[in-house]
Amino acid sequence: MEKVTHETLPSGIDLACVEIPGRHAVAIEFRILAGTAHEPDDALGIARLIQETIDLGTEKYDGRALSDAFDEIGASHGGWVGREASAYTCLVLPEFLERAIELHAEFIRRPTFPDDKIEVAVELTRQEWTALQDDAHSLADKLIGTQAYGKYLGRHSLGEPESLDKIDRKHLLDHWSETYHAGRMQVTAAGAFDTQHLVDLLETHFGGFGATETAGREHFDVTFDAVRVHHNKELEQQQIAIAFPGAARTGEDYHVQRVMLGLLSGGMSSRLFTEVREKLGLVYWVSAWGECPRGSGMIFLGASTTPDRCDVTYRTLLREVDRLSEDLTKEELDRAVNGLVAKIETQGDITRARCGQLAEDLFHFHKPMDRKEKIAKLQAVRVDDIHSYLDAHPRDALSVVTLGPRVLEGSKVAETSSTGGPQS
Amino acid sequence: MNDPYTLHTLENGLRVVIEHMPDVNSAAAGFLSHTGARDEVPELAGVSHFLEHMCFKGTEKRDWHQISVDFDKLGSIYNAFTSADRTFYFGWVPMASVRDQIEVLADMMRPALPEADFATEKKVILEEIAMSKDSVDHVAFDFVLERIFEGHALGWPVLGYDNTVGDLTRDQLHAYHQERYAADNMTLIVAGNVDPGRIIAIAEELCGHWKPGQKKSERKVPEIRSGIANRVVDRFNQHVIVMSFPAPGANDPMHETAEAAASILGGGNSRFYWNIVQKGLSPSASCFRFDLADCGLTLLCAQTDADVDGVEKLADALRKEAHDICQNKVRPEEVQRVKNKRRTTLAVEGESPYHRLVQIMDDVDYRGAPRTVDQRLAAVEAVSVDSVAEFFQRYPIDGDGYLIGVGPREWPNCK
């Protein structure tokens, strides 16, 4: 029998966990509510630099010894930096949970940020900037993010080359001191463990970790730039990225949005796949997806195609969104809903996925959300709700990026340095 | 531990492999066709992959749209892929839908190959080829295989070339399907909370009428070449270095040792990570294996945006690590760390029907039968300092291999 718990610990940690007896592992996530949006204007990229160096030296271990310690318990661990948070994730056998928490506490609480490691991290980040120029899809993703979200939420985790060069150990220590403390931490766990034991471990290892007051929950404003910008680049395929504002995760029409995205891009019978790829053969890759920073939402449409098909692909993408207002059937809607529900059930068999779902709940709702309730909300969506959603989220002011050799009709051409890296 | 597997062969030769997983709520099913790019002739390069696409484009019973609709109705997590030596179609669904999932997949294995959809799909595949040309990693990997397996089918990309795909006809595709998708060249694999007897009955009902093949084709073991080559591609910013060496195939008893050796040298917390990446020489340096049933490669890879001198410095660093690991035994703790990580991975993957499906596919295709998680763990436990040393003695990576560079620099110098 699964047991879900949510509580704020005396240390200030916001904890949500689900005991799932019979599982062979425990997935745990330590989320720090500090992402790229929280970076100082003159130190863009610092959140990721902290993450890249935080486990390369602590009061007790050097980087290699810490990695060895994780390997001794066979932990699969990693991390990511997002717009509003940074996270450290770990998958471990149940008997090693305590050691895994102890090791996370060691580097999250007591990093030393050795100068030589910072120097290397800056150099590697610079090289990753260059590598980004060789990855057309990721580059287009970066460009549309900047354009659609604006100053704070539109930042890229790699920062900017000019600001990276200025970041030193003091910057890292200052930003870490300001943003890494228990009141900014959300911890989630799923799998085979005892909740009280988990609570005790977290309090033992994170008790007294800085301010206990909750922080980092503020919303950042989206400053949406409704422009079409083309970035010249020598490529075989043209990258197309379109964005328009959508619903927040906590918004009443969020579940309608999920279904709408399922209708557009949920499976091979979805509209974009069917119309853009299967009927017209315009693309290999086409997709629609949503992102939800806290308190806001953004819908993206993307495709890559050979340059002479760019304009028709662009028009077809938008037409398919509009067409949902015209000829959506109940059968099609039910299929999209059933698909979403089945995937929730199927992925419930993955311990790591369960932990990830809890983490998202905590991030947006400050509490775990009932899975059955989520499913019921999806199942309650009707055709009229999709129409209302599309009326409420018009596509008359879009943010568009194209990347490649052909200028999309009606676009302005960006300055040559606008991809932010070396020219190819 | 009870054997969770049920193995069965239908009269027509179709193999059925089932793993019963009583603790999960879902099931994954897949059809493996033992065919891939290495089974193609040069003028049909890309036909295996094209056929994979066309299996989604209609059958006698369903048109392409109905196939998509039926997958999506089930809420399936589904896809297919083609490699050098296999093509696999799969779907992962809540356990109540497993029969419907197998039915859709089985229907697809007998495609109608409609002419009109053939022409449209050709455009999609040409877009896929164009997309791969925008990735320095894809361009580099294709070039590596082209040189190492020159003159052999393993030397061309799974996607094929613009001209071979462009020239392909529907009749050629049909003939290839007849030969390669015969019942006795295929395996149905199911993992999840299922009743094995019922799955066999479903297989009989849906696939029992499939015909066995008329002839058995033999695969030619490739010659693995050595040398030096570069491909200058000015529009990329990163220069990719690959050093390639012969290695055992996936069905070799040393396979697990080979995996461990690659991990020690170029996995996470590896020698490459600390001595190359963390020295700032490259944002990514790795050692990975390309393995098929009858042959394999150890590939040392890294990339940099540095000038020619910087590329040479990076290559020297790779060579130094390769030399060290061949000449000196690895430390016991390095071996133990790899084992520990594998143990966790196997335990976690053992929870998921999809992961089990893929593992079983690998075992069935390369080793003839599935291995339980415990058997896989035993293979991991057998790796030792001495077995790693023996591996590098038999398959050294500090001698002649193939040295390849792809990117904006004129490196290596091939003159």
Side-chain angles (χ1 to χ4, degrees), chain A residues 24 64 68 71-72 74 126-127 130 133-134 236-237 268-269 274 278 284 306 309 346 349 351 424, chain B residues 25-26 56-57 72 78 92 123 127-128 131 134 235 237-238 269 274 283 305 337 340 344 351:
Chain A
H24 297 101
R64 197 183 286 228
D68 289 353
D71 283 357
E72 274 167 24
R126 191 196 60 71
Q127 290 213 36
T130 313
Q133 313 307 311
D134 289 341
E236 293 281 328
Q237 278 193 319
M268 288 196 319
S269 70
T274 298
E278 296 300 273
Y284 173 72
T306 36
R309 298 159 141 198
T346 309
D349 278 340
T351 305
S424 57
Chain B
N25 298 305
S26 59
F56 286 91
K57 299 299 280 187
D72 288 342
Y78 59 100
W92 180 20
K123 291 184 202 167
E127 288 290 344
E128 191 177 359
M131 190 166 84
D134 280 337
R235 66 195 176 94
N237 297 282
Q238 294 268 310
N269 191 21
W274 290 107
D305 63 0
R337 286 202 298 265
N340 294 344
T344 305
E351 293 180 340

Side-chain angles (χ1 to χ4, degrees), chain A residues 239-257:
Chain A
Q239 299 285 328
I240 304 169
I242 303 169
F244 60 92
R249 185 69 174 263
T250 48
E252 284 189 4
D253 54 355
Y254 172 73
H255 290 88
V256 182
Q257 177 172 291

Side-chain angles (χ1 to χ4, degrees), chain A residues 22-25 52 55-56 63-65 67-76 91-93 96 116-117 120-121 123-124 126-128 130-131 133-136 233-239 266-270 273-275 277-285 304-306 309 331 335-336 338-340 342-343 345-347 349-352 422-424, chain B residues 23-27 49 53 56-57 64-65 67-78 92-94 117 120-121 123-128 130-136 234-239 268-271 273-284 303-306 331 336-338 340-345 347-348 350-353 355:
Chain A
R23 294 292 167 98
H24 297 101
E52 290 291 313
D55 58 354
L56 293 177
R64 197 183 286 228
S67 289
D68 289 353
F70 270 110
D71 283 357
E72 274 167 24
I73 57 172
S76 164
L91 196 63
V92 70
L93 297 179
F96 299 123
D116 59 330
K117 300 299 180 191
V120 168
E123 166 59 18
L124 292 175
R126 191 196 60 71
Q127 290 213 36
E128 285 184 54
T130 313
Q133 313 307 311
D134 289 341
D135 181 348
K233 189 169 178 65
E234 186 186 347
L235 291 169
E236 293 281 328
Q237 278 193 319
Q238 187 97 357
Q239 299 285 328
M268 288 196 319
S269 70
S270 62
F273 198 89
T274 298
E275 299 297 324
R277 175 169 154 163
E278 296 300 273
K279 282 190 185 168
L280 298 172
L282 290 170
V283 300
Y284 173 72
W285 173 75
S304 59
T305 187
T306 36
R309 298 159 141 198
E331 185 194 358
R335 191 166 69 237
N338 290 344
L340 289 167
K343 286 185 179 93
E345 290 173 355
T346 309
Q347 297 198 345
D349 278 340
I350 301 179
T351 305
R352 198 194 298 250
Q423 294 304 294
S424 57
Chain B
D23 296 328
V24 300
N25 298 305
S26 59
H49 173 254
H53 277 234
F56 286 91
K57 299 299 280 187
W64 63 267
H65 186 60
I67 290 175
S68 304
V69 165
D70 287 349
F71 267 116
D72 288 342
K73 267 185 185 168
L74 299 174
S76 179
I77 295 169
Y78 59 100
W92 180 20
V93 290
D117 294 321
T120 308
E121 202 59 24
K123 291 184 202 167
V124 172
I125 293 169
L126 291 172
E127 288 290 344
E128 191 177 359
M131 190 166 84
S132 78
K133 289 178 188 171
D134 280 337
S135 157
V136 66
D234 286 332
R235 66 195 176 94
F236 292 128
N237 297 282
Q238 294 268 310
H239 199 78
N269 191 21
S270 64
R271 295 180 177 202
Y273 178 73
W274 290 107
N275 300 335
I276 295 177
V277 175
Q278 279 303 322
K279 299 293 181 199
L281 293 174
S282 168
S284 126
Q303 59 194 69
T304 178
D305 63 0
R331 297 189 303 279
Q336 193 56 47
R337 286 202 298 265
V338 171
N340 294 344
K341 284 191 280 190
R342 286 285 283 157
R343 199 178 295 136
T344 305
T345 306
V348 173
E351 293 180 340
S352 152
H355 284 116

Side-chain angles (χ1 to χ4, degrees), chain B residues 117-193:
Chain B
D117 294 321
F118 175 79
T120 308
E121 202 59 24
K122 189 176 276 188
K123 291 184 202 167
V124 172
I125 293 169
L126 291 172
E127 288 290 344
E128 191 177 359
I129 292 172
M131 190 166 84
S132 78
K133 289 178 188 171
D134 280 337
S135 157
V136 66
D137 293 336
H138 277 132
V139 172
F141 189 65
D142 285 349
F143 185 56
V144 165
L145 296 186
E146 179 187 311
R147 300 311 298 253
I148 292 169
F149 295 120
E150 189 180 354
H152 188 280
L154 289 171
W156 57 71
V158 169
L159 298 181
Y161 298 104
D162 287 328
N163 63 327
T164 57
V165 170
D167 292 346
L168 202 65
T169 67
R170 188 260 173 203
D171 288 345
Q172 287 171 319
L173 204 67
H174 175 71
Y176 188 79
H177 175 265
Q178 292 295 304
E179 184 187 330
R180 303 301 308 179
Y181 279 55
D184 54 351
N185 199 39
M186 298 189 70
T187 305
L188 167 64
I189 304 165
V190 182
N193 199 343

Side-chain angles (χ1 to χ4, degrees), chain B residues 258-273:
Chain B
E259 292 288 339
S263 182
I264 290 167
L265 189 61
N269 191 21
S270 64
R271 295 180 177 202
F272 279 3
Y273 178 73

